[in-house]
Amino acid sequence: MIRFLTDLYRNKEIRTRIIFTLGMLLIYLLGTVIPVPNVDHVMLSAQMESNTLLEMMSILGGGQLESFSVFSLGVGPYITASIIIQLLSMDIIPYLSELSKSGNKGKLQMDKITRYLAVFLGYVQAITLMNLYKDVLIDAGWSSLFYMGTIMVGGTMFLLWLGDQITQKGIGNGVSMIIMSGIISRMPTTYRSAFTSMVSANGFSVSGILFFSLYVAVNLAIVILVIYMSQATRKITIQYSSSSGATRGKNVNHLPLKINSASVVPVIFAGAIIQAPIIALSYINQNWAIYKFLNTYMTLNHPVGIAVYAILIFLFTFFYTHLTVDPEKIAENFGKNNSYIPGVRPGKDTQKYITVILNRITLLGALFLVFIAVLPPLLPLITNNFIPQSTAPGGTGIIIVVGVALETVKELKGRLSQRSYTGLFNR
């Protein structure tokens, strides 16, 4: 590790990219503390202390919704728009399906459509958020809401520009780096709050120190588990046809299937499904019995809401995995490339074989994702709020941070290797 860091520092190009990335992320962090006008922040902090929906939206978008800053939406609207466009391009809208198969030009056009949709979703999210918290607004008129929404959506689009700059001139995927930095920036506050509630509030007792030590150890164990699950794959042996018997044994490769192919997308789907009816009904009539029922039971503060949340994550994990990994297309590509799975007939048998394996490993991935996502809202109920949700270990934020960190390290190693090969050929 020390040698790896030393090599990064000695490489001028990589060092410049790292400094540039840190500079862009510093601009982002500065923007998260610049408040949007027309907000009473004293009342805001009191109302948003335990809002699970806002916390999840903040984590997935890398923003600071609880502070109503200019970057409060983060890149959340863009992430949501990307998922929607990706789903619609899977033979649902022919135009988008053609663009997805049109190479780089089609990709650029889809990204443009995604950003237009992100602007619309950003306004919807911003105005919905402000409508739900009218009490903290100094002026709750529609002109003020539109003005504040424009500032927040403008912040989102500026963050996308920052992300593009990081991708081109820095290291890693810019949007992912912004989300990761937003999650990491919360960690010191989380640990400070945990230390205060477990140690300082109990007069630095031995039991309080032991509880905090156990809390830190559990967090480290979860990080290790997430790293293991993020890299875990099931390799299927592939044999390539060859007319030569001498080379037949050498034409072997592997098809890697990730245990958690869906990443955190099922969590986004599940959260949206649960909260969308509540938000929609809040505009119509908050006195309706159905609204009161949903607002009471379909939240992550109630066991029923947590159970529904877990079931939706489990089901969406299978749904999204089969959308992104299509066994039929894989079997078809095997036939085109003159390859096959040893002991399995080509065609339908190969498709069935891959489907069975995919379902088995997705079961493990779905259980893992449910465990990580449900742990923060479940712990306060189990411990009678001894561990509040704001400091509970787990959460999808860890999956995002670990995934982005692993990809960034992989890219840095690739750049170092490329640099070594370039130096070798230039000698």
Side-chain angles (χ1 to χ4, degrees):
M1 177 59 71
I2 296 176
R3 182 178 178 182
F4 174 66
L5 295 176
T6 303
D7 291 341
L8 291 179
Y9 177 77
R10 289 178 178 176
N11 190 305
K12 183 179 179 181
E13 180 189 353
I14 296 179
R15 186 170 68 246
T16 302
R17 285 180 172 271
I18 292 175
I19 294 173
F20 179 83
T21 301
L22 293 176
M24 294 294 101
L25 294 180
L26 178 61
I27 294 174
Y28 158 68
L29 293 176
L30 289 175
T32 59
V33 298
I34 300 175
V36 174
N38 193 40
V39 177
D40 187 335
H41 290 275
V42 176
M43 293 181 63
L44 177 67
S45 59
Q47 289 200 21
M48 294 194 175
E49 234 171 48
S50 61
N51 192 301
T52 55
L53 170 62
L54 292 181
E55 184 178 355
M56 184 179 68
M57 291 167 65
S58 291
I59 288 175
L60 295 176
Q64 302 284 348
L65 281 175
E66 64 274 11
S67 65
F68 267 94
S69 68
V70 293
F71 291 161
S72 55
L73 296 181
V75 292
Y78 177 76
I79 299 298
T80 305
S82 298
I83 295 172
I84 292 173
I85 294 299
Q86 183 180 359
L87 290 174
L88 293 178
S89 64
M90 293 178 177
D91 298 327
I92 297 176
I93 297 181
Y95 176 70
L96 293 177
S97 300
E98 291 178 7
L99 287 179
S100 64
K101 301 173 184 177
S102 301
N104 190 53
K105 186 177 180 181
K107 184 180 178 181
L108 292 175
Q109 183 64 23
M110 285 187 68
D111 186 63
K112 185 184 295 185
I113 296 172
T114 302
R115 294 185 186 227
Y116 285 138
L117 180 59
V119 171
F120 171 75
L121 293 178
Y123 269 107
V124 172
Q125 184 174 330
I127 293 177
T128 299
L129 183 66
M130 290 180 285
N131 187 65
L132 290 174
Y133 292 92
K134 285 183 178 180
D135 295 341
V136 305
L137 304 182
I138 299 172
D139 180 10
W142 279 104
S143 59
S144 296
L145 296 182
F146 185 77
Y147 170 65
M148 294 172 65
T150 301
I151 293 175
M152 295 165 74
V153 172
T156 293
M157 302 314 292
F158 179 73
L159 285 181
L160 292 180
W161 179 82
L162 280 184
D164 290 340
Q165 299 305 305
I166 293 174
T167 302
Q168 296 172 11
K169 303 175 184 177
I171 56 170
N173 180 282
V175 173
S176 299
M177 293 294 288
I178 288 173
I179 296 174
M180 183 181 73
S181 62
I183 297 170
I184 292 177
S185 66
R186 294 185 180 88
M187 289 184 176
T189 303
T190 301
Y191 278 93
R192 185 174 66 248
S193 299
F195 182 84
T196 301
S197 62
M198 296 179 185
V199 181
S200 301
N202 297 318
F204 292 90
S205 63
V206 176
S207 61
I209 294 174
L210 289 176
F211 271 121
F212 182 73
S213 301
L214 180 62
Y215 170 80
V216 174
V218 169
N219 273 282
L220 289 176
I222 290 176
V223 170
I224 293 172
L225 173 65
V226 171
I227 292 173
Y228 175 78
M229 294 298 291
S230 297
Q231 295 182 313
T233 57
R234 168 68 160 86
K235 294 182 178 180
I236 300 177
T237 303
I238 303 171
Q239 180 80 49
Y240 291 93
S241 300
S242 174
S243 57
S244 172
T247 61
R248 186 171 300 164
K250 300 178 182 178
N251 296 336
V252 176
N253 209 331
H254 294 92
L255 171 68
L257 296 177
K258 295 184 68 174
I259 289 180
N260 184 25
S261 300
S263 187
V264 296
V265 174
V267 180
I268 301 175
F269 283 172
I273 292 289
I274 289 178
Q275 296 297 333
I278 299 175
I279 294 174
L281 289 173
S282 68
Y283 280 102
I284 303 172
N285 192 339
Q286 296 187 10
N287 294 321
W288 283 358
I290 186 172
Y291 172 79
K292 293 179 179 179
F293 174 83
L294 293 175
N295 200 37
T296 301
Y297 294 100
M298 291 296 110
T299 66
L300 299 186
N301 296 322
H302 196 280
V304 175
I306 295 175
V308 174
Y309 183 56
I311 293 171
L312 288 175
I313 292 174
F314 186 85
L315 295 177
F316 276 125
T317 302
F318 279 88
F319 170 74
Y320 193 77
T321 297
H322 280 274
L323 281 180
T324 54
V325 183
D326 189 348
E328 183 179 355
K329 288 186 178 180
I330 294 175
E332 184 180 337
N333 290 332
F334 281 176
K336 293 179 181 179
N337 298 328
N338 294 323
S339 56
Y340 60 94
I341 299 173
V344 181
R345 293 181 178 180
K348 292 292 182 181
D349 288 350
T350 297
Q351 178 185 339
K352 184 179 179 181
Y353 180 81
I354 296 174
T355 301
V356 170
I357 292 179
L358 186 63
N359 287 336
R360 288 175 179 174
I361 63 175
T362 302
L363 174 62
L364 183 60
L367 293 175
F368 157 74
L369 198 56
V370 168
F371 169 74
I372 294 295
V374 168
L375 196 59
L378 190 61
L379 278 179
L381 296 178
I382 297 175
T383 62
N384 196 22
N385 281 325
F386 177 75
I387 302 177
Q389 183 166 338
S390 58
T391 59
T396 53
I398 294 180
I399 301 177
I400 296 173
V401 170
V402 169
V404 175
L406 290 175
E407 287 299 320
T408 303
V409 170
K410 184 178 179 181
E411 180 184 333
L412 289 173
K413 288 182 177 180
R415 290 186 180 277
L416 280 176
S417 300
Q418 184 180 11
R419 181 73 177 178
S420 300
Y421 288 132
T422 303
L424 177 65
F425 286 116
N426 288 338
R427 289 178 184 176

